[in-house]
Amino acid sequence: MNYETTLAALNLQAVLPNLMDLVRHDPTAAAIAASRDICIQFLVRGGPAAYVAFKNGACTVENGQRADADVKLWFASCRHLNRMFKNQANPVPIKGLTRIGYLTKEFKKITARMEHFLTPNDNALAQPDYMALNTLLTLNTAARAICILVEGDKAARNVAAGMPDGTLLLKVLPDGPAAGITFRNRRATMTAGETEKPSALMLMKDLKTANDLLNQKLDPFAAIALGDVRIWGQTPMIDCLDLILERIPHYLQP
């Protein structure tokens, strides 16, 4: 993949799925989502596809196309989609023109809430509820991004080529959140939550430690030395994972 194609995949398959956790945990987003059942399809010429479905107050985000989508948004290129995520361009609606009002009002409010929780500042992070949701969204975004970069980014692909097969579990102690990343045959898949019999573990002692680590405010080697981050199992997996994580800021900026 080139840069724009990889970034488009990250936007649709790593960032957009945060709407599911946002609606699940943020009362403001949940109230907006409960107002209507609707499915919105994102289509990119020569690029990835995904859809967002709101139904009975819950949100689902999946890769691919859904034939019965109420609204279809078309993008001429991956760059077109990426510019929309930067608020620099608008999609081309090819179905559901009567639902445009929903896109410009309710859906825009929900995506603004997602942006709010994904772009933290020190004042916001001082609020426990905000920090907890930011940590969850950031952890899951990173885990999903790793899977995409292993396929789309040359440097990450080279690192993954040396990865042993197995699952690496990232977990915030004592009760999560957690995410598992399974490497097999030079590909990676992500599982939200706990996973059984991981090959390697990275345990962060609390939400503050995890948040600082995920937002690059904490040196991982110092955290390990101090015992704030504990690692176990196949440590080469963790070393490789760190190298892939370093590729995320090349595409996604907080």
Side-chain angles (χ1 to χ4, degrees):
M1 298 183 191
N2 60 31
Y3 177 87
E4 293 289 352
T5 304
T6 301
L7 179 56
L10 289 168
N11 279 326
L12 286 184
Q13 298 167 6
V15 177
L16 200 62
N18 284 312
L19 290 174
M20 294 187 290
D21 284 320
L22 182 74
V23 169
R24 193 175 295 123
H25 295 286
D26 176 46
T28 300
I32 299 170
S35 65
R36 193 178 304 183
D37 291 348
I38 190 170
C39 179
I40 304 167
Q41 176 77 63
F42 293 77
L43 298 167
V44 183
R45 184 170 68 177
Y51 62 85
V52 180
F54 297 101
K55 188 173 180 62
N56 299 328
C59 176
T60 302
V61 181
E62 297 283 353
N63 300 335
Q65 298 190 37
R66 215 172 97 168
D68 62 345
D70 302 294
V71 178
K72 291 187 178 181
L73 304 178
W74 185 79
F75 300 86
S77 64
C78 290
R79 183 171 183 272
H80 182 189
L81 175 85
N82 296 333
R83 292 187 68 231
M84 187 204 69
F85 272 82
K86 295 177 181 175
N87 296 317
Q88 297 173 350
N90 292 315
V92 178
I94 58 174
K95 181 183 177 183
L97 293 176
T98 59
R99 310 287 185 101
I100 294 301
Y102 178 85
L103 292 176
T104 58
K105 294 179 181 176
E106 287 92 340
F107 189 63
K108 188 174 182 178
K109 289 179 182 176
I110 292 180
T111 56
R113 290 293 291 175
M114 182 175 69
E115 183 177 358
H116 167 67
F117 282 103
L118 285 175
T119 52
N121 57 55
D122 290 342
N123 288 335
L125 288 172
Q127 303 170 35
D129 289 346
Y130 180 97
M131 186 177 71
L133 187 48
N134 172 261
T135 303
L136 171 65
L137 300 185
T138 306
L139 176 66
N140 285 342
T141 300
R144 288 189 290 260
I146 287 168
C147 302
I148 294 165
L149 292 176
V150 164
E151 293 192 33
D153 179 80
K154 182 178 179 180
R157 191 165 59 245
N158 289 339
V159 172
M163 289 279 280
D165 287 350
T167 298
L168 195 161
L169 178 65
L170 307 172
K171 182 178 178 180
V172 182
L173 297 174
D175 301 318
I181 306 167
T182 298
F183 294 88
R184 194 169 304 284
N185 299 326
R186 301 183 179 184
R187 301 190 67 177
T189 55
M190 176 265 195
T191 304
E194 297 273 0
T195 184
E196 294 184 356
K197 299 179 180 178
S199 308
L201 286 169
M202 178 182 286
L203 305 174
M204 296 158 271
K205 76 171 186 179
D206 52 28
L207 276 173
K208 179 68 167 59
T209 299
N211 195 274
D212 286 347
L213 189 67
L214 292 166
N215 285 304
Q216 301 177 334
K217 294 180 179 178
L218 184 65
D219 179 77
F221 296 104
I224 291 172
L226 292 171
D228 292 339
V229 173
R230 288 183 283 152
I231 58 176
W232 174 90
Q234 295 190 32
T235 53
M237 293 186 73
I238 297 172
D239 294 337
C240 291
L241 185 79
D242 285 339
L243 294 174
I244 299 173
L245 284 171
E246 290 177 359
R247 297 297 298 163
I248 295 178
H250 182 63
Y251 297 91
L252 299 175
Q253 297 296 325

